[in-house]
């Protein structure tokens, strides 16, 4: 909602600085998005009078003008416009002036003749012919305004209003109007509100003798008022009305269309004007449409209606879709002579449903579907008559038609001052609460708060408390602790995931958040087997599209999409992580299980499998998980996502036989599917399984008192035996005195038999009971060699 501050001044004296106005209205519940003053880009442009026009000596299409601009001497301006003559009043951009769009004007020479400025057209001032209908669009703006020579152009043509943009919440449709925001301003600043009843004279006559109105569906149309204007004179609206419409973001058209738009902005009540000659039988029927009935709306589109839609019809056909848009022949034309004004209340839900079904939105429907004041119809109709007479646009038939199908009952809520204070944590006296509510036009009667008709959002005591709080001032409410509520504490899972999150950040990862809704095509992109249980998904009933039609059962595609996006936007490296959920259906259960996953993805910067493994190992160690095993993913059925991994460069992470996660290099085919042109590495860790595997308490080991003994082993074994299996055998054989085992060399070559490899380990052994003897260390090595021999590894000669 754009509010003209000039327009607002008709209702309340809001002469405070605009920043103070915006801040106060925001704090009282009407959020301000920003404000803009018309013509603020225009500098040093004044009203000028052309004294003479002579041909340019070196050009056939240029003329040289002497222009009076209110200074000591006239200025000389060269122009190519053909519509200027001596005596014309025009906008003059002087030397050093600024125009909309960042245009700067400086004096110079045109074909050898000095020009000290520029004569301006409407477009160069940021205006159109709708703002000044008497002007021409492709020439200099010849002004007909009452102004002074040398006057700033903004004040001369009314291009100096300040427009404040409000974000109005859906529960406050009354604020989608100048009057509504005037009420808020008056209540916020405790100022008097000037909101008089419209007055018109009219001519003798009764609209009921010229037009008949019947409401056939009182549930969808609570009231319908209609009035008639004879001897209509279609013309442009006066400047003051055009200015206010422009400042509110509405394009002026003609006086009758502008009157309906003006009232919609002023009171929030949409109105419509019909040409009476197109209302067959002079009979308006507010009824449900017939299935298959058609109407061509004002936007030129033929629309098929259904019987749950409300229409305004004559005796033969629909002439408007109720509350949304009129038909093609319902508009005001240049030869219109008799106009019917409509002011009605339509039930919000049916307007919203009809608008959605027809895919047709309008300013009227956006207001009706939120709810308008059910008691303002007559006032708006009278206001239309008042404006018609002020504009000299026709003769108003004095008596109008007023149909009320349903009786209005104002909303009322118990007035409970003590409850309000307890609810807000305040100590506001009852009299002060009453004063605040009266400022908002609420009434207190017999222990109840009676809401005004325009406040359709009042339903319970909490709504009344909010009204008191926002006028009392949210900043004045003291900060208090929640009473009767135990101190909040993170759950074990929340603590675990936060620690994991901090660990990943410390390891250099950037956290991402991706959508849980994904495309089923993702399963094919990661080469998931056709019979994989991960293809069994929760399907969205009303998805936005196929790309968001199912709930994900694996987080790996989401990570790959993000890595692909970064790669294709020329980020040369990335290390990302996400803590998010998968949604796994359970047979016979209504809802899926939603386990948390840690997903890590990286590429670029010469990273390899071991960089990812280092991140995973550090994260596991930080979370108290030790002694894990890494098994080639092809040898495990724990994760169907192994189809996305390189078979020889990926592993499943196990702890005591439980699968904690999968990690490795992405398969080249999958990389190609995602458009990633470099080696990419991804890990997925199961957080519930990690929590179960984590040590409940961290045990700190004292610094060693005794020296360590080291031994090196160079082994020969089959190339197929994983180094991790050899390491596991060594740890099991040496026992608790083994402090660390380190792989430091792997060799395959001419000196080694084909199909074999040489693997070298460094063993660090230490006892906490005393210094290890050589004999103890040698015996430990013998045990290790025996265990290694059992799996096919021998000491290298």
């Amino acid at each position: 909602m754009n509010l003209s501050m000039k327009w607002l001044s008709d209702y309340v004296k809001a002469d405070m600085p605009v920043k103070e106005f915006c801040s106060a209205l925001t704090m009282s519940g009407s959020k301000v998005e920003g404000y803009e003053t018309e013509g603020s880009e225009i500098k040093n442009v004044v009203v000028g009078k052309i004294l003479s026009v002579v041909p340019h000596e070196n050009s056939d299409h240029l003329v040289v003008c002497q222009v009076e601009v209110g200074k000591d001497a006239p200025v000389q301006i060269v122009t190519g416009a053909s519509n200027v003559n001596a005596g014309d009043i025009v906008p003059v951009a002087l030397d050093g002036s600024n125009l909309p769009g960042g245009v700067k004007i400086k004096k110079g020479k045109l074909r050898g003749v000095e020009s000290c400025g520029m004569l301006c057209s409407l477009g160069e001032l940021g205006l159109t012919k709708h703002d000044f209908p008497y002007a021409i669009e492709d020439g200099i703006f010849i002004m007909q305004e009452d102004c002074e020579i040398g006057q700033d152009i903004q004040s001369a043509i009314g291009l100096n209003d300040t427009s404040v943009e409000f974000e109005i919440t859906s529960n406050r449709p009354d604020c989608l109007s100048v009057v509504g925001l005037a009420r808020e301003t008056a209540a916020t600043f405790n100022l008097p509100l000037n909101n008089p009843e419209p007055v018109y004279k009219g001519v003798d006559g009764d609209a009921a003798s010229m037009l008949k109105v019947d409401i056939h569906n009182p549930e969808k149309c609570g009231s319908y008022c209609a009035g008639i204007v004879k001897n209509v004179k279609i013309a442009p609206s006066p400047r003051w009305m055009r200015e206010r419409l422009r400042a509110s973001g509405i394009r002026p058209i003609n006086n009758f269309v502008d009157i309906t738009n003006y009232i919609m902005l002023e009171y929030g009540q949409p109105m419509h004007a019909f040409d009476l000659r197109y209302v067959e039988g002079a009979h308006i029927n507010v009824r449900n449409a017939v299935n298959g009935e058609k109407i061509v709306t004002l936007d030129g589109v033929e629309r098929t209606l259904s019987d749950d839609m409300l229409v305004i019809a004559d005796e033969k056909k629909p002439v408007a879709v109720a509350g949304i848009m009129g038909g093609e022949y319902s508009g005001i034309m240049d030869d219109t002579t008799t106009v019917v004004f409509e002011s009605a209340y339509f039930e919000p839900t049916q307007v919203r449903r009809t608008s959605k079904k027809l895919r047709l939105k309008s300013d009227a429907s956006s207001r009706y579907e939120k709810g308008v004041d059910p008691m303002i119809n007559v006032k708006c109709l009278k206001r239309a008559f008042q404006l018609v007479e002020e504009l000299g646009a026709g003769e108003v038939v004095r008596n109008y038609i007023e149909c009320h199908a349903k009786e209005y009952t104002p909303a009322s809520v118990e007035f409970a001052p003590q409850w309000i204070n307890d609810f807000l944590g305040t100590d506001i006296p009852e009299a002060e609460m009453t004063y605040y509510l009266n400022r908002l036009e609420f009434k207190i009667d017999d222990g109840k708060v009676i809401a005004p008709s325009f406040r359709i959002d009042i339903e319970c005591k909490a709504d009344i408390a909010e009204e008191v709080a926002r006028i009392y001032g949210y900043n004045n409410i003291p900060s208090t602790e929640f009473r009767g509520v135990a101190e909040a504490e993170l759950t074990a899972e929340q603590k675990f995931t936060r620690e994991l999150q901090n660990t990943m950040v410390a390891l250099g990862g950037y956290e991402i958040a991706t959508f849980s809704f994904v495309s089923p095509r993702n399963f094919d992109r990661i080469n998931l087997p056709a019979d994989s249980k991960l293809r069994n998904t929760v399907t969205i009933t009303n998805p936005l599209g196929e790309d968001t039609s199912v709930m994900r059962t694996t987080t790996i595609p989401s990570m790959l999409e993000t890595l692909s996006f970064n790669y294709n936007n020329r980020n040369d490296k990335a290390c990302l992580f996400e803590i998010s959920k998968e949604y796994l259906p359970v047979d016979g259960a209504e809802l899926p299980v939603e386990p948390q996953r840690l997903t890590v993805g990286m590429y670029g910067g010469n990273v390899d499998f071991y960089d990812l493994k280092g991140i995973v190992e550090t994260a596991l160690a930080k979370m108290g998980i030790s002694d894990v095993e890494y098994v080639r993913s092809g040898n495990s059925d724990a994760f169907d996502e192994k189809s996305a991994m390189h078979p020889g460069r990926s592993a499943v992470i196990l702890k005591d036989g439980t699968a904690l996660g999968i990690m490795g290099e992405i398969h080249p085919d999958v990389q190609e599917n995602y458009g990633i042109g470099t080696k990419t590495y991804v890990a997925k860790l199961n957080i519930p399984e990690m929590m179960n595997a984590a040590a409940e308490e961290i045990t700190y080991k004292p610094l060693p008192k005794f020296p360590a003994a080291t031994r090196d082993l160079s082994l020969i074994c089959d190339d197929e035996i994983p180094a991790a299996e050899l390491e596991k055998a060594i740890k099991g054989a040496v026992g608790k005195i083994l402090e660390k085992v380190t792989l430091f060399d792997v060799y395959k070559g001419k000196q080694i038999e084909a199909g074999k490899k040489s693997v070298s380990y460094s063993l660090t052994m230490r006892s906490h009971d005393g210094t290890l003897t050589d004999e103890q260390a040698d015996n430990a090595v013998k045990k290790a060699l025996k265990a290694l021999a059992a799996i096919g590894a021998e000491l290298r000669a």
Side-chain angles (χ1 to χ4, degrees), residues 330-539:
S330 68
I332 304 302
M333 304 178 186
D334 291 342
D335 60 346
T336 297
T337 59
T338 306
V339 167
V340 179
F341 276 120
E342 166 195 285
S343 179
Y345 175 81
F346 299 116
E347 195 275 325
T349 303
Q350 69 89 17
V351 174
R352 181 168 59 252
R353 288 174 177 169
T354 301
S355 175
K356 186 176 181 180
K357 282 186 177 181
L358 295 178
R359 297 184 179 180
L360 179 62
K361 294 286 288 185
S362 65
D363 288 331
S365 68
S366 68
R367 284 169 165 81
Y368 271 125
E369 67 184 25
K370 293 179 178 67
V372 299
D373 185 349
M375 299 299 290
I376 205 173
N377 299 337
V378 172
K379 184 172 184 176
C380 290
L381 188 63
K382 290 179 179 179
R383 178 59 168 154
F385 293 160
Q386 182 184 40
L387 289 171
V388 167
E389 291 186 340
E390 285 184 13
L391 274 55
E395 297 176 356
V396 176
V397 176
R398 185 175 296 126
N399 296 321
Y400 51 85
I401 299 170
E402 184 177 355
C403 297
H404 295 288
K406 293 181 69 176
E407 186 176 346
Y408 171 73
T409 302
S412 62
V413 176
E414 177 190 354
F415 183 40
Q418 187 57 50
W419 184 93
I420 291 173
N421 276 324
D422 291 343
F423 183 71
L424 297 177
T426 56
D427 190 19
I428 305 171
E430 179 179 343
E432 196 171 331
M433 290 186 188
T434 302
Y435 176 61
Y436 295 151
L437 293 170
N438 288 340
R439 278 164 57 178
L440 292 165
E441 301 187 31
F442 289 82
K443 295 179 181 178
I444 312 296
D445 185 21
D446 194 24
K448 290 186 176 294
V449 181
I450 302 173
S453 60
F454 55 83
R455 290 302 303 273
I456 65 172
D457 60 312
I458 302 301
E459 296 178 352
C460 60
K461 290 187 291 186
D463 294 329
I464 303 302
E466 181 184 3
E467 299 304 304
V468 171
R470 66 193 188 90
I471 302 303
Y472 175 71
Y474 293 119
N475 290 341
N476 296 324
I477 298 176
S479 299
T480 56
E481 293 183 359
F482 285 111
R483 288 170 286 187
V485 179
E487 185 176 349
E489 185 176 347
L490 296 177
T491 65
E493 184 178 17
Q494 288 172 329
K495 291 177 181 178
F496 189 88
T497 54
R498 290 197 183 188
E499 181 67 23
L500 188 59
Q501 181 184 39
N502 292 334
T503 299
M504 293 306 303
V505 171
L507 289 169
Y510 286 85
E511 187 171 14
I512 63 171
T514 59
F515 289 116
S516 300
F517 303 153
V518 297
S519 169
R521 293 195 301 263
N522 283 348
F523 301 135
D524 296 328
R525 297 177 77 185
I526 63 170
N527 295 339
L528 201 66
D531 59 350
S532 171
K533 61 182 183 296
L534 297 180
R535 288 183 179 268
N536 178 26
T537 62
V538 176
T539 303

Side-chain angles (χ1 to χ4, degrees), residues 690-704:
M690 289 174 63
M691 290 181 64
N692 292 333
E696 293 184 4
E697 294 182 358
I698 298 176
T699 303
Y700 292 92
K701 296 180 180 179
L703 292 173

Side-chain angles (χ1 to χ4, degrees), residues 79-249:
T79 180
S82 60
N83 68 315
V84 293
N85 298 286
D88 287 344
I89 306 299
V90 296
V92 181
L94 300 173
D95 178 33
S97 61
N98 296 335
L99 294 175
V103 177
K104 297 182 181 296
I105 304 300
K106 294 184 178 181
K107 68 179 180 180
K109 289 187 177 183
L110 292 175
R111 295 286 183 92
V113 176
E114 185 177 54
S115 180
C116 299
M118 184 179 78
L119 307 183
C120 298
S121 66
L122 281 174
E124 286 160 340
L125 295 174
L127 302 170
T128 69
K129 188 173 172 58
H130 293 285
D131 298 304
F132 291 92
Y134 63 78
I136 63 174
E137 292 197 65
D138 55 354
I140 300 303
F141 177 23
I142 309 301
M143 299 168 58
Q144 299 177 9
E145 310 304 305
D146 185 13
C147 52
E148 298 179 1
I149 305 303
Q151 182 180 355
D152 282 341
I153 198 65
Q154 291 98 320
S155 62
I157 62 174
L159 193 63
N160 56 357
D161 197 356
T162 297
S163 178
V164 179
E165 181 184 357
F166 286 87
E167 179 188 334
I168 305 300
T169 54
S170 58
N171 68 315
R172 290 300 306 275
D174 59 297
C175 290
L176 289 170
S177 65
V178 177
V179 171
L181 290 171
R183 290 192 192 101
E184 291 296 304
T185 302
T188 300
F189 291 97
N190 197 15
L191 297 171
L193 178 68
N194 175 38
N195 188 14
E197 283 293 318
V199 177
Y200 70 98
K201 295 180 180 179
V203 298
D204 291 339
D206 190 345
S209 65
M210 306 171 66
L211 182 72
K212 183 180 178 182
V213 174
D214 285 314
I215 300 175
H216 299 277
N217 189 334
E219 295 301 318
K220 292 186 177 181
C221 178
S223 63
Y224 192 99
C225 301
I228 292 179
V229 181
K230 303 187 298 184
N231 299 322
V232 166
K233 300 172 185 176
I234 305 299
S237 300
R239 180 179 132 183
W240 62 266
M241 181 176 281
R242 299 196 307 267
E243 286 178 6
R244 292 183 176 188
L245 292 174
R246 181 182 67 227
S248 303

Side-chain angles (χ1 to χ4, degrees), residues 667-685:
H667 195 285
D669 292 344
V670 176
Q671 285 181 198
E672 184 177 349
N673 291 341
Y674 282 91
I676 305 175
T678 186
K679 289 184 178 181
T680 305
Y681 301 88
V682 170
K684 187 186 88 168
L685 299 178

Side-chain angles (χ1 to χ4, degrees), residues 500 503 615-626 628 630 653 660 685 690 694:
L500 188 59
T503 299
I615 289 175
V616 170
E617 286 180 333
T618 304
L620 293 174
K622 181 66 177 178
M623 304 313 296
I625 304 170
S626 58
V628 297
Y630 295 86
I653 307 160
L660 301 184
L685 299 178
M690 289 174 63

